Amino acid sequence: MPQVLPALSRKLALFQPVLPSERLLLQGLQRRIRHFEPGDELAYEGPHRSNAFILEAGWCYTFKVLPDGGRQIVTIKVPGDFLGWRTILLRTSDHGCTAITPVAASEIDHDQLRQVMVKAPRLAASILWAASRDEAMLVEHLTSLGRRDATLRMAHFFLELAARLNINGEVEDNSFDCPLSQYVLADLLGLTSIHVNRVLRKLREAGLMVLRNGRVTILDLAGMIALAGFDRAYLDQNGIDSGLKPT
Amino acid sequence: MPQVLPALSRKLALFQPVLPSERLLLQGLQRRIRHFEPGDELAYEGPHRSNAFILEAGWCYTFKVLPDGGRQIVTIKVPGDFLGWRTILLRTSDHGCTAITPVAASEIDHDQLRQVMVKAPRLAASILWAASRDEAMLVEHLTSLGRRDATLRMAHFFLELAARLNINGEVEDNSFDCPLSQYVLADLLGLTSIHVNRVLRKLREAGLMVLRNGRVTILDLAGMIALAGFDRAYLDQNGIDSGLKPT
DNA sequence: CGGCCTCTTGAGACAGTTCAACCTATGTGG
DNA sequence: CCACATAGGTTGAACTGTCTCAAGAGGCCG
């Protein structure tokens, strides 16, 4: 029996406590674990019935590709996140999903999920809360692309990421692992990888943050927050902050 | 007794038929109609309990404001759309909402909605389908801001808008009313109003589309679709197209 | 009539792109 | 164990899409 659900239930507990009975229902959803290697596709764009997952371990990104070959990364997914849930009801998968690191994900049985939603309204509310929070992050990302310049986008993204990872206890000493290449950051933030490189250098030289060897360190938290105009209210995680401390 | 729900139920019927009993439940949700004038705020950003609506008549936009005074319009809402539903479960309203035209909207009672979700799972699925579709549109918009240039963004937006409005039968002769100022289009598409003006001119001079006196006319549908790389699959409305015809 | 909002156009500036080169680390087959 | 390929990162120089600043025109309303 695989050890399951710590990340998801810890997140849901930010909304309301997960009762023992609900914990069992979640475990039922998380029985079928599948594994993927970096670069594997968990879902494809197109009109076929696509799978929904709970990401248990590892990182993925979801993306859209454009006719000209351009790619827009929509979200970075970390353990505890839902994957592909939007396509449970839509009849087409509107995006692809690729593993960044080795990934373990539990595949959701649609009928079983339907049962949970109908028979456990309280848990259903927790799940819909998490989905609403995902959408709020999407809106914030959209705002970044529309109205923040490259530097602010970068700073804002890493502050959000720290807050999300801290739910899983992955932030320590103002620092966390981050397996995102500059190419991925570029397609996420609507930039070129060349410009990502320059922006990261600027943040480093300003003493704000460093990304090196797959690890992020926030050097000046107050400076980052002021720069990005970051207000974590939209993450709705009052109980738990970014894990970062002023220096 | 106000005449209610044609737009929403027509939209939900694109997913599955709305049964008579479900129609009654929807009518129950749509009892408390409120009216707003252009410029009125239906919701504010901030940590208070915000209201959820179904937009019955008129147009709104939702937006975020940045510390530097910049504004990003997140979505344009037309009759039949949900407003503020994300903040039903989140404990903070992450965006504002402003009426563009005179608006009639039914205010949703949260407890009553909860009842519907629990007691009418089939209708709940239709509602969640519509919410998923809204999210898919958000993702497409995000992709526009990240990886499409100003002209493609504009063309893509108006093709999507036509498809949405055609559900309400508002598209006729490749033309539809559109009360969006160039300032609103600018904040929606992450541009300045000056550049919006130039892009609209370019589209007009290319014989692709015209926006004049609050009315859009698509002059060259195939050209627009090819230019924007528009694929309406993400709207998941197989039953009904954009109402536009090749010329 | 004056004030305001929206639309329009021009000219110069700049953020970010494109193209090109080179560097380092890691892995692989001969 | 070297030769080579690949992936990620770094830097420079020229180019361009979009912005900023500035000015003016048309329509609507009090």
Side-chain angles (χ1 to χ4, degrees), chain A residues 14-16 64 66-68 70-74 85-87 89-92 94-95 117-118 121 124-129 131-143 145-148 152 183 186-192 228-230 233-238, chain B residues 14-16 64 66-68 70-74 85-87 89-92 94-95 117-118 121 124-129 131-143 145-148 152 183 186-192 228-230 233-238:
Chain A
L14 295 176
F15 176 62
Q16 59 185 359
K64 299 203 79 151
L66 299 179
D68 69 358
R71 179 178 68 159
Q72 177 64 47
I73 292 181
V74 176
W85 286 44
R86 186 166 55 251
T87 58
L89 290 171
L90 293 180
R91 280 158 290 208
T92 182
D94 65 332
H95 62 275
M117 296 304 274
V118 170
S126 296
I127 289 170
L128 289 175
W129 168 82
S132 301
R133 181 174 172 274
D134 284 352
E135 198 175 282
M137 293 195 288
L138 212 56
V139 167
E140 198 65 40
H141 186 192
L142 184 150
T143 303
L145 294 176
R147 285 289 184 232
R148 281 192 259 256
L152 301 208
Y183 294 89
D187 283 341
L188 175 72
L189 301 177
L191 304 167
T192 56
F230 184 72
Y234 72 96
L235 293 173
D236 200 26
Q237 52 184 66
N238 278 323
Chain B
L14 295 175
F15 176 62
Q16 59 185 358
K64 300 202 78 150
L66 298 178
D68 69 359
R71 178 178 71 159
Q72 177 64 47
I73 292 181
V74 176
W85 287 44
R86 184 165 58 253
T87 57
L89 289 171
L90 294 180
R91 278 158 291 206
T92 182
D94 66 332
H95 62 275
M117 297 303 275
V118 169
S126 296
I127 288 171
L128 289 174
W129 168 81
S132 301
R133 181 173 172 275
D134 284 352
E135 196 174 285
M137 293 194 288
L138 213 54
V139 167
E140 198 66 39
H141 186 192
L142 185 151
T143 303
L145 293 176
R147 285 290 184 233
R148 281 193 260 255
L152 301 208
Y183 293 89
D187 284 341
L188 175 72
L189 301 176
L191 304 167
T192 56
F230 184 72
Y234 73 97
L235 293 173
D236 199 27
Q237 53 184 64
N238 278 323

Side-chain angles (χ1 to χ4, degrees), chain B residues 1-6 8-9 12 18-33 54 56 106-109 112 116 123 127:
Chain B
M1 188 88 185
Q3 186 224 6
V4 287
L5 81 78
L8 176 57
S9 70
L12 295 184
V18 178
L19 306 176
S21 63
E22 295 170 346
R23 203 167 282 266
L24 282 174
L25 286 169
L26 281 177
Q27 273 169 350
L29 280 176
Q30 292 172 294
R31 262 195 313 231
R32 198 141 63 101
I33 304 277
I54 295 166
E56 306 293 350
S106 20
E107 191 170 357
I108 301 303
D109 179 89
Q112 199 179 358
V116 167
L123 179 59
I127 288 171

Side-chain angles (χ1 to χ4, degrees), chain B residues 34-204:
Chain B
R34 291 182 55 188
H35 294 271
F36 301 89
E37 288 307 307
D40 286 356
E41 305 259 324
L42 284 76
Y44 301 88
E45 284 185 274
H48 51 79
R49 185 143 213 78
S50 174
N51 291 323
F53 298 93
I54 295 166
L55 184 52
E56 306 293 350
W59 293 37
C60 310
Y61 59 81
T62 63
F63 65 96
K64 300 202 78 150
V65 288
L66 298 178
D68 69 359
R71 178 178 71 159
Q72 177 64 47
I73 292 181
V74 176
T75 332
I76 303 293
K77 297 289 188 182
V78 301
D81 285 341
F82 299 143
L83 284 181
W85 287 44
R86 184 165 58 253
T87 57
I88 291 175
L89 289 171
L90 294 180
R91 278 158 291 206
T92 182
S93 171
D94 66 332
H95 62 275
C97 182
T98 302
I100 296 170
T101 65
V103 155
S106 20
E107 191 170 357
I108 301 303
D109 179 89
H110 291 190
D111 288 326
Q112 199 179 358
L113 177 61
R114 227 184 309 275
Q115 294 296 316
V116 167
M117 297 303 275
V118 169
K119 295 193 177 158
R122 200 189 116 104
L123 179 59
S126 296
I127 288 171
L128 289 174
W129 168 81
S132 301
R133 181 173 172 275
D134 284 352
E135 196 174 285
M137 293 194 288
L138 213 54
V139 167
E140 198 66 39
H141 186 192
L142 185 151
T143 303
S144 274
L145 293 176
R147 285 290 184 233
R148 281 193 260 255
D149 71 19
T151 312
L152 301 208
R153 267 179 232 177
M154 189 74 75
H156 195 281
F157 168 68
F158 281 112
L159 289 172
E160 177 187 288
L161 192 56
R164 291 167 65 196
L165 290 173
N166 195 40
I167 297 175
N168 300 340
E170 298 183 41
V171 179
E172 212 169 343
D173 294 336
N174 287 355
S175 186
F176 53 90
D177 287 329
C178 174
L180 304 177
S181 74
Q182 295 184 358
Y183 293 89
V184 166
L185 286 171
D187 284 341
L188 175 72
L189 301 176
L191 304 167
T192 56
S193 66
I194 294 151
H195 201 59
V196 164
N197 186 284
R198 293 195 228 271
V199 169
L200 286 173
R201 168 154 56 121
K202 193 173 136 194
L203 289 171
R204 186 184 342 121

Side-chain angles (χ1 to χ4, degrees), chain A residues 29-34 51-54 105-109:
Chain A
L29 281 176
Q30 292 172 295
R31 262 197 313 233
R32 198 141 61 101
I33 304 278
R34 292 182 55 189
N51 290 323
F53 298 93
I54 295 166
S106 19
E107 191 170 357
I108 301 303
D109 179 89

